[in-house]
């Protein structure tokens, strides 16, 4: 996987993520005046995905203002006035056009003291933030009063709870008024994007109700945000929404995650910059994931988008490497039938993986000169002894080649891989092509197969194998019971 990561790291940084359509021939002129700010430099930063970048740094002008100006428009989004030296910041909205405005505020109390001229977006945005700042202390005070009651006065608790609900309703009313009166304003888009979908009440069996609530919430999660809106790419909102959807709301199973990513990609496919950013992000993220089975998501993204011409920014060399990695990984994904191998025992008699008669087969690749294999050996021996009579067999393959392969059998003896507990094999000239078939680039490597040779688990540490096997066996038992209706 290290090879995959390095490829994608190169891809990420050698492709231009900041390509935009030619801007309208009009620039930006943003003036900022700060009180309680003794420094003579101010930084303009911006959100991009899950990170922040510096756009410009200016010095205080003779007129007492910081001037950010150029003859080009800034990409629409949420920007940051970063204060030196502590890197605290003041948020500021920059719309697609009309990027000429003045901001005046107090560096130590920027929301309450904010004054804006020439920007309806920032007027609305800070009007909303000021309103929240006014309501928050009231709600906090009511919550503290409930806590202090310690349940001693139910009537007072009910009264205070009703007052909290009233404050919440006032905030919702303010939001709804803002959304209704200024539906297309950037401030409204940012506020709307943070509003959670309202899940209706369902009736019926409690378990069924919970499922219906979940599916409704998932299906309506993006109702309040246009994922293809380019302004959202330059805000903290979009990344957090997508991260929550893919990594929290979606069940963390490769198949479910693949479907979730397809949903997202379909919604952003007409926004070139957003589409490019997140397709690269998802590919990198799941290539680097250390969670077992998530290479299936990497393969899905590669095969569905990169290897089918839907990632036009990637050069031919990078595409070849990505698709080659996907081709190597696809046959050994969890749920696939493990490729058959015919190797040889110590007497040079052929023995095939699929000929092993066991409910579970543990395929263990190791090397005599591998320090990690030496540490893994005691765990494997202990595991073999505990699970020998539980339908588990261990199929060892020594990966030493050429003359070094002669060390295999001494290694078997040294590591106590007794033939009573292990099926010990070697393939000194790699005639079985196991390194290619199982993508063996390092050792040790472990795969757990069921009786039909389906890959149930892989790439786990030897110190985990006993616990993992117990979980696998319990899962398979529950699965069979469910299928039989018991």
């Amino acid at each position: 996987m290290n090879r995959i990561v390095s490829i994608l790291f190169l891809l990420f940084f050698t492709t231009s993520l900041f390509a935009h359509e030619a801007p309208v021939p009009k620039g930006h002129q943003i003036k900022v005046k700060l009180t309680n700010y003794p420094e003579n430099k101010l930084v303009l930063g911006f959100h991009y995905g899950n990170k922040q970048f510096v756009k410009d740094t200016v010095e205080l002008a003779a007129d007492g203002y910081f001037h950010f100006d150029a003859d080009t428009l800034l990409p629409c989004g949420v920007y940051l006035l970063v204060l030196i030296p502590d890197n605290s910041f003041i948020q500021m909205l920059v719309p697609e056009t009309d990027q000429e405005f003045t901001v005046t505020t107090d560096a130590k109390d920027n929301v309450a003291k904010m004054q804006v001229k020439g920007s309806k977006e920032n007027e609305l945005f800070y009007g909303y933030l000021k309103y929240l700042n006014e309501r928050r202390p009231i709600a906090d005070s009511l919550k503290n009063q409930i806590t202090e009651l310690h349940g001693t006065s139910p009537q007072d608790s009910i009264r205070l709870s009703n007052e909290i609900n009233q404050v919440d309703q006032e905030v919702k009313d303010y939001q709804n008024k803002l959304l209704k009166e200024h539906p297309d304003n950037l401030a409204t888009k940012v506020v709307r994007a943070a509003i959670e979908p309202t899940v209706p009440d369902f009736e019926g069996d409690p378990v069924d109700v919970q499922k219906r609530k979940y599916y409704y919430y998932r299906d309506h999660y993006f109702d309040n945000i246009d994922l293809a809106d380019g302004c959202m790419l330059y805000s903290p909102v979009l990344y957090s929404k997508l991260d929550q959807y893919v990594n929290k709301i979606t069940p963390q199973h490769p198949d479910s995650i693949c479907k979730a990513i397809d949903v997202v990609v379909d919604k952003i496919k007409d926004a070139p910059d957003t589409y490019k950013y997140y397709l690269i992000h998802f590919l990198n993220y799941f290539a680097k994931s250390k969670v077992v089975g998530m290479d299936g998501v990497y393969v899905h993204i590669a095969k569905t988008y990169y290897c089918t011409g839907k990632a036009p920014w990637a050069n031919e060399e990078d595409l070849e490497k990505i698709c080659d990695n996907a081709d190597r990984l696809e046959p050994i994904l969890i749920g696939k039938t493990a490729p058959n191998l015919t190797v040889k025992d110590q007497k040079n008699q052929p023995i095939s993986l699929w000929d092993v008669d066991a409910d579970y087969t543990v395929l263990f690749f190791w090397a005599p000169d591998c320090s990690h294999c030496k540490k893994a050996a005691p765990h494997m021996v202990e595991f073999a002894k505990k699970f020998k009579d539980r339908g588990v067999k261990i199929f060892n393959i020594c990966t030493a080649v050429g003359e070094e392969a002669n060390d295999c059998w001494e290694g078997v003896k040294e590591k106590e891989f007794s033939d009573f507990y292990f099926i010990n094999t070697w393939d000194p000239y790699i005639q079985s092509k196991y390194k290619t078939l199982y993508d063996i680039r390092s050792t040790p490597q472990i795969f757990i197969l069921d009786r039909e040779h389906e890959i149930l688990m892989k790439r786990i540490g030897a110190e985990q194998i006993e616990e993992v096997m117990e979980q696998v066996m319990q899962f398979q038992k529950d699965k069979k019971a469910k299928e039989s209706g018991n």
Side-chain angles (χ1 to χ4, degrees), residues 290-306:
K290 295 182 179 179
V291 178
V292 175
M294 290 306 161
D295 52 349
V297 184
Y298 165 82
V299 170
H300 173 78
I301 296 170
K303 292 280 190 177
T304 306
Y305 302 103
Y306 281 83

Side-chain angles (χ1 to χ4, degrees), residues 77 84 93 143 147 155 168 236 284 309-310 320 336 395 402 434 442:
I84 298 173
L93 303 185
K143 291 176 183 177
T147 301
Q155 289 185 338
D168 290 341
N284 277 281
K310 297 178 182 178
E320 183 178 350
K336 296 281 187 177
F395 195 93
Y434 68 82
S442 63

Side-chain angles (χ1 to χ4, degrees), residues 367-369 398-411 426-430 434-435:
D369 60 349
C398 176
T399 62
V401 297
E403 293 183 0
E404 294 180 358
N406 293 323
D407 296 332
C408 284
W409 304 113
E410 185 61 33
W426 69 337
D427 188 1
Y429 302 105
I430 321 180
Y434 68 82
K435 287 196 174 184

